[in-house]
């Protein structure tokens, strides 16, 4: 059974999410919260596997709550509920340790699939949102510690790359553009299994827990550079 916590300041949103999720036999909504501070208490008490987290809430917002929850509960998976207007906050939430993000306009099937994917330990990188966030970050539209106009001859340092092979760097760059494993396999003319192996090695070598964090690390370390 997948235990889910809901965090949103709008009661009707929580009611809608709960109805959708609890219609599934393998999902149980074990706790709810209307703000970040209450979310911290809810997670301590209910011990959910996955938290669906709104960003804009009164008091403690979702970004602060995400940062505190991922620090206190390393095994917790947090999915940010967002609109297209929240891109900057979404990126900051990913830096804080969120496992992915989901549009509030997503249909019920997408919501359920998202919960299952994240609960299984995978990162939720919805291409429509991922590409938008990454493009905005890469063009300098999001706060980030990266040069606005990197030199053309820039080469990431060995420290930044770690022990990544040339192929793993290539896969990481494709991940950072928002491609799925299947799309990467098609791009590189290899099997999905091969891509999954590369991704697993990348996560281990970079010391991150999922591909979302690998994307953040790719930009922060210089493996992938913001475009001028």
């Amino acid at each position: 059974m997948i235990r889910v916590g809901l965090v949103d300041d709008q009661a009707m949103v929580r009611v809608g999410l709960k109805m959708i999720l609890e219609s599934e036999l393998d999902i149980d909504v074990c706790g709810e919260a209307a703000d970040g501070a209450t979310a911290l208490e809810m997670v301590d008490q209910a011990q959910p596997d996955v938290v669906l987290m709104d960003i804009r809430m009164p008091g403690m917002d979702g970004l602060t709550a995400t940062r505190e929850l991922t620090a206190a509960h390393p095994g917790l998976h947090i999915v940010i509920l967002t609109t297209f207007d929240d891109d900057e906050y979404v990126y900051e939430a990913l830096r804080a340790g969120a496992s992915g993000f989901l549009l509030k306009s997503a249909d019920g099937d997408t919501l359920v699939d998202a919960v299952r994917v994240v609960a299984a330990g995978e990162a939720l990188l919805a291409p429509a949102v991922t590409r938008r966030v990454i493009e905005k970050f890469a063009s300098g539209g999001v706060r980030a510690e990266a040069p606005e106009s990197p030199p053309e001859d820039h080469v990431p340092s060995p420290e930044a790359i770690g022990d990544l092979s040339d192929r793993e760097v290539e896969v990481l760059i494709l991940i950072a553009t928002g491609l799925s494993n299947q799309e990467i396999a098609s791009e590189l003319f290899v099997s999905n299994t091969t891509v999954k192996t590369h991704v697993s090695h990348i996560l281990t070598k970079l010391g991150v827990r999922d591909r979302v964090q690998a994307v953040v690390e790719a930009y922060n370390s210089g493996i992938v550079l913001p475009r001028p």
Side-chain angles (χ1 to χ4, degrees):
M1 182 70 70
I2 302 171
R3 296 170 59 81
V4 178
L6 305 178
V7 184
D8 196 294
D9 61 325
Q10 298 183 41
M12 288 303 296
V13 171
R14 299 197 306 273
V15 169
L17 293 173
K18 185 174 183 177
M19 288 179 62
I20 293 171
L21 294 173
E22 291 201 329
S23 67
E24 304 296 319
L25 297 178
D26 60 334
I27 298 176
D28 174 50
V29 175
C30 62
E32 300 181 35
D35 56 57
T38 309
L40 302 185
E41 299 175 2
M42 180 270 289
V43 170
D44 284 340
Q45 296 173 4
Q47 295 294 307
D49 304 304
V50 178
V51 170
L52 300 182
M53 176 78 72
D54 189 20
I55 288 182
R56 299 180 180 181
M57 297 179 292
M60 182 186 290
D61 62 19
L63 178 58
T64 303
T66 295
R67 186 178 293 113
E68 294 199 17
L69 285 172
T70 54
H73 304 272
L76 180 65
H77 303 290
I78 298 179
V79 176
I80 302 300
L81 298 175
T82 182
T83 68
F84 276 125
D85 294 331
D86 288 333
D87 288 349
E88 181 173 347
Y89 297 100
V90 167
Y91 181 75
E92 294 299 333
L94 298 182
R95 289 171 63 101
S99 294
F101 41 90
L102 186 68
L103 285 175
K104 284 189 173 181
S105 59
D107 59 30
D109 289 342
T110 301
L111 173 65
V112 170
D113 288 343
V115 168
R116 289 175 176 149
V117 165
V118 172
E122 299 294 330
L124 183 64
L125 285 172
V129 190
T130 302
R131 292 191 177 108
R132 180 184 172 96
V133 172
I134 290 173
E135 285 296 315
K136 191 170 180 181
F137 171 50
S139 64
V142 188
R143 292 191 301 271
E145 297 176 0
E148 293 184 0
S149 301
E152 293 182 0
D153 59 351
H154 172 86
V155 177
S157 66
E159 292 79 12
I161 297 178
D163 295 326
L164 297 185
S165 67
D166 291 342
R167 175 61 90 176
E168 288 163 354
V169 170
E170 189 175 10
V171 170
L172 179 56
I173 291 172
L174 293 176
I175 293 174
T177 63
L179 296 188
S180 66
N181 282 0
Q182 184 174 355
E183 290 169 329
I184 293 173
S186 298
E187 181 78 14
L188 300 180
F189 302 102
V190 297
S191 68
N192 284 346
T193 300
T194 297
V195 173
K196 288 181 180 179
T197 299
H198 285 316
V199 172
S200 177
H201 290 167
I202 289 168
L203 300 186
T204 299
K205 291 179 180 180
L206 291 182
V208 295
R209 64 181 181 181
D210 58 42
R211 60 195 291 146
V212 172
Q213 300 304 313
V215 170
V216 173
E217 183 63 23
Y219 279 106
N220 287 343
S221 65
I223 295 173
V224 177
L225 289 172
R227 296 176 301 179

